[in-house]
Every structure is written in C-alpha cells, then in structure tokens.
Amino acid sequence: ASSPINQMHWLGGLRVILLDSVVLDQEFGELDDETLAFLADALATPAPDGTVLALHHPPIPSPVRPMAHIMLRRSERFAEAIDGSDVRLIICGHNHHGMSGSLASVPVWVSPATAYLMDITSRDAVRGLPGCSVSQINLGDDGTTVSVIPIPLDTP
C-alpha cells in the first residue's frame, strides 16, 4: 500500500489543505489514520485567515442513492478532527452535482462537474445530463459565498 498524497498550501494567510480520500480499487472514499494525523498536526496551529479543506469524496450524502453509497465513509472521524478548528469551508466533488451541507458546523460545498451534470431527480439511478458548470468561492471577512457558474454547451 502506498502512502496517501496529502498537501498543504498557503495563499497569504489562508491555509489550503488537500486530503487524499482515495481507497485503492474502490469508488467510496475514506480518510485513513495517516491522513487524519496529518490533518490534526496541521490544524494544531490556527492559520491567520483560517483553513479550507479539499478532498474528492463528500462527507455528506447525495440525494442520488447510488452516489450516497460511494461518499466518504466514517465521516464522523473527519468531523471529530475538524471540530473546534479554524476550518472555514470543506470543498469536494465526486457527485457531479452542486450541493451544500455541513460537517461539525463547518460548511461543505460539493461542486458540480465539468464533464456532465447529475440528474438529482433520479433518486435511485445515476443519470447524467448534458451540461457542466464550475464553482466560484469567495472567502470574505463578512462570510463565505459559493456561486455556480454554468458553462454553456456549444449547440450546432
């Protein structure tokens, strides 16, 4: 087994931590002990402008049941690791649809995809739709906002 690929970067006083949630040969994700130790060590000292965490697998369930089965597992361990920390936002993808929620009182943003969109009205089956979009995240002193920016498809 290889070690997880976790990273920390600074944008001025904002700390951005990238967490490896990949489980070899699986579609679901998990933060292993090494990753959680990396996170705990990083969060032990608060960042001047707070911290944003990024990972692939959402720690909150999708309304599309098959996607909910391949979310981040054991998210309670993740919640415990960030509870009371300076984490301002958790960003992730994987679901191909925009969604928000929270984990340990921290906002979670699941970004839509640039490949295709997920039909969230299809609760029991994964059904992709044509289209794509990106997220614009603003971390201001007066709060955090996330906007979805649709990318028009070329039509013949």
Side-chain angles (χ1 to χ4, degrees), residues 39-68:
L39 179 60
D41 184 55
L43 295 178
T45 304
D49 295 331
T51 300
V52 172
L53 302 178
L55 66 157
H56 185 72
H57 298 85
I60 56 176
S62 169
V64 180
R65 288 180 191 95
M67 295 307 293

Side-chain angles (χ1 to χ4, degrees), residues 5 30 52 88 99 123 146:
I5 302 170
E30 190 168 13
V52 172
R88 297 176 62 182
M99 181 174 74
R123 303 283 191 195
V146 180

Side-chain angles (χ1 to χ4, degrees), residues 13 25 43 85 107 112 139 142:
D25 297 325
L43 295 178
S85 71
L139 298 167
D142 55 349

